[in-house]
Amino acid sequence: LLWRNRSDLREWRPDPLSLAVLGAALLIRLPAIIEPAGFVGSDGSLQAMVAHRIFSLERPAPVFIEGSGYQGTLKAHLGALAGVAVGGGDLGRLVVIGSTLVWLLGVAGTMALGRRLGGTLPGLVAGLFLALSPRFATIFSVNNVGEYPDVIGLGALALAWTAALGATECRGFAARWAYFGIGALIGVAMWQQPIAASFGLAAFGLLGARALAQRDPWFLAAFVGLAFGRAPVLLAD
């Protein structure tokens, strides 16, 4: 999505339109990153508290937010990682950064899927809709309430990768990392929120049908990736 495909890898160049859409998505969320007060409420602060524990190197790192057995802590982990660069003094800023990052994943994945299914213009329009989203969605993308942005971002990328793989002749051993990667994205998404199973059913259904038609046993690598993505949950259990 972000790079123009060329026969010579040395001639790969960033796709200016894709980068511009991602830049616009980041720009309109910049005020929340600069001054997160008012954007992160009581529900969103749960991720902030987890980010503080992770940033403080408490072990074990929480897999789910406290009091919940199904809301994963990916945004808190991303926020704690951001704290290494910007400091951990403002917990609200850390989780806004984490939430913005997963929303950018959704923008990128949606553009990639739209381009694969409909062409450049539909992909850009879909990406712009998420980048310059309606007010309620824009606020939702930074306030850390719920893990649905995580599911949209990871799930859209998984479907885009599935569509890209389906458009090629790549299969068998050569496709093992693609199968694994798609499964891992779905696994991480399901760690965040079980509703991501809907993306998993779509991706695994398409990959399974393709593998059955091609008699490709390497499709099973997708299940290995799924287990890898859900490893935090499996280890916590």
Side-chain angles (χ1 to χ4, degrees), residues 21-33 39 100 103-104 107 127-135 137-139 141-142:
V21 172
L22 291 174
L26 179 60
L27 183 63
I28 68 168
R29 289 162 178 82
L30 199 57
I33 296 175
F39 288 96
T100 300
W103 193 265
L104 291 178
V107 174
L128 280 170
F129 180 78
L130 288 183
L132 310 177
S133 51
R135 181 177 181 275
T138 302
I139 293 176
S141 70
V142 297

Side-chain angles (χ1 to χ4, degrees), residues 80-148:
L81 184 62
V84 176
V86 303
D90 191 330
L91 297 178
R93 177 173 293 114
L94 298 187
V95 291
V96 168
I97 291 173
S99 189
T100 300
L101 287 175
V102 296
W103 193 265
L104 291 178
L105 284 180
V107 174
T110 300
M111 277 195 292
L113 183 60
R115 282 185 167 189
R116 178 61 59 182
L117 298 180
T120 299
L121 182 59
L124 290 174
V125 170
L128 280 170
F129 180 78
L130 288 183
L132 310 177
S133 51
R135 181 177 181 275
F136 79 91
T138 302
I139 293 176
F140 186 72
S141 70
V142 297
N143 66 8
N144 297 284
V145 177
E147 281 58 56
Y148 303 109

Side-chain angles (χ1 to χ4, degrees), residues 7-227:
S7 58
D8 189 340
L9 295 181
R10 293 172 298 178
E11 297 182 6
W12 279 26
R13 295 291 184 272
D15 180 6
L17 290 176
S18 297
L19 293 179
V21 172
L22 291 174
L26 179 60
L27 183 63
I28 68 168
R29 289 162 178 82
L30 199 57
I33 296 175
I34 296 173
E35 183 51 69
F39 288 96
V40 180
S42 58
D43 289 339
S45 66
L46 296 175
Q47 291 279 359
M49 290 187 286
V50 175
H52 174 69
R53 293 177 60 183
I54 298 170
F55 188 74
S56 301
L57 300 180
E58 291 188 22
R59 294 293 182 269
V63 173
F64 298 110
I65 62 174
E66 188 173 352
S68 170
Y70 65 93
Q71 297 186 76
T73 55
L74 176 63
K75 287 195 290 282
H77 280 78
L78 292 174
L81 184 62
V84 176
V86 303
D90 191 330
L91 297 178
R93 177 173 293 114
L94 298 187
V95 291
V96 168
I97 291 173
S99 189
T100 300
L101 287 175
V102 296
W103 193 265
L104 291 178
L105 284 180
V107 174
T110 300
M111 277 195 292
L113 183 60
R115 282 185 167 189
R116 178 61 59 182
L117 298 180
T120 299
L121 182 59
L124 290 174
V125 170
L128 280 170
F129 180 78
L130 288 183
L132 310 177
S133 51
R135 181 177 181 275
F136 79 91
T138 302
I139 293 176
F140 186 72
S141 70
V142 297
N143 66 8
N144 297 284
V145 177
E147 281 58 56
Y148 303 109
D150 314 39
V151 172
I152 293 172
L154 295 165
L157 282 177
L159 288 181
W161 200 348
T162 299
L165 180 62
T168 70
E169 296 298 324
C170 183
R171 61 179 178 176
F173 184 76
R176 66 195 185 284
W177 289 116
Y179 289 136
F180 178 88
I182 293 167
L185 286 173
I186 296 297
V188 175
M190 291 179 64
W191 163 32
Q192 301 316 298
Q193 169 50 262
I195 198 173
S198 58
F199 285 92
L201 288 173
F204 276 67
L206 292 170
L207 290 177
R210 179 178 184 269
L212 184 62
Q214 296 178 343
R215 298 182 180 180
D216 185 0
W218 281 96
F219 162 63
L220 297 177
F223 291 94
V224 178
L226 181 68

